Amino acid sequence: MRSTFSTGDPGSPSAGTTPAANEPIRSTAAHRQRWAVETMAVAPDDRVLEIGCGRGAAVSLVADQLTTGRIVAIDRAATMVRLATQRNLSHIDAGRAEIRRAGFESADLPTDHFTKIFAVNVSLFWLGDAAQQIARMRSLLVPGGRLYVFGERPTDAHATANLTAAALLLEAHGFATTTSSATRGQGRVLTCVTGTPVE
């Protein structure tokens, strides 16, 4: 594994705190979300899908990079969708972001559309049988598009296990993969498996 970014943990929003509309994200976003967006190198015209957007910090960071592009973010939890929407009102109003309450399996999403799909700490990539979900992700990507699977784990051993499981899963479903990792404060390890469909 190669280290692509390393820094101390600048902190994250307090539990139960509701972010203000259009709140500056740089000062409050979790380190893992900032690292994820930096790793993806979002382009101004990218069409991005986030699976499991939580409070919407990564949505804001992605949308900050977009001009003609757009991010669609989905989450199963109504509370998370509400908080993410509040945080991203300016991006939604500008047409750079759309946030929906939906599970990935049932979400109405266009095929051959997204240039980048990503998920942060979504367990389907290393637990259980995710064959149908991975096949659907592949169908949603444009030719040359990329799938990014991000995780955060407490030890190197946990991180290595997750990287291996996610890479094997993607490779078994027609993706070529690369991996990267970084260490943040308190020894926690951030990981990424990047998958590109093999034609």
Side-chain angles (χ1 to χ4, degrees):
M1 290 186 291
R2 59 183 178 86
S3 178
T4 58
F5 189 70
S6 182
T7 170
D9 182 9
S12 59
S14 299
T17 300
T18 301
N22 308 318
E23 172 185 345
I25 297 302
R26 285 288 174 188
S27 63
T28 61
H31 181 145
R32 65 178 175 267
Q33 293 157 325
R34 292 199 305 271
W35 182 73
V37 174
E38 291 167 0
T39 298
M40 290 191 292
V42 176
D45 60 349
D46 268 331
R47 298 187 301 276
V48 182
L49 172 65
E50 181 179 11
I51 301 168
C53 65
R55 295 172 179 259
V59 174
S60 299
L61 294 169
V62 169
D64 282 345
Q65 308 302 315
L66 301 175
T67 54
T68 58
R70 181 179 176 89
I71 178 169
V72 175
I74 59 174
D75 201 287
R76 296 178 186 276
T79 298
M80 294 297 102
V81 169
R82 176 175 57 81
L83 294 174
T85 298
Q86 289 174 347
R87 171 171 263 157
N88 288 284
L89 285 175
S90 65
H91 291 308
I92 293 168
D93 290 344
R96 292 186 296 270
E98 178 183 353
I99 299 170
R100 306 182 198 169
R101 182 184 179 191
F104 177 69
E105 300 84 357
S106 60
D108 182 13
L109 300 166
T111 58
D112 296 319
H113 177 77
F114 296 100
T115 56
K116 293 179 169 75
I117 298 174
F118 75 104
V120 180
N121 283 342
V122 174
S123 61
L124 73 86
F125 293 100
W126 46 83
L127 296 175
D129 182 9
Q132 290 184 331
Q133 293 95 322
I134 301 300
R136 185 170 193 219
M137 290 173 203
R138 181 178 173 131
S139 76
L140 297 176
L141 287 168
V142 299
R146 291 184 177 180
L147 171 62
Y148 297 84
V149 180
F150 294 99
E152 181 181 29
R153 291 296 171 262
T155 67
D156 285 332
H158 286 99
T160 298
N162 279 9
L163 278 171
T164 300
L168 288 173
L169 176 66
L170 296 190
E171 289 165 6
H173 293 90
F175 286 83
T177 66
T178 59
T179 63
S180 58
S181 66
T183 301
R184 75 174 184 115
Q186 301 175 334
R188 297 185 70 86
V189 183
L190 305 173
T191 62
C192 177
V193 177
T194 303
T196 304
V198 177
E199 297 299 326

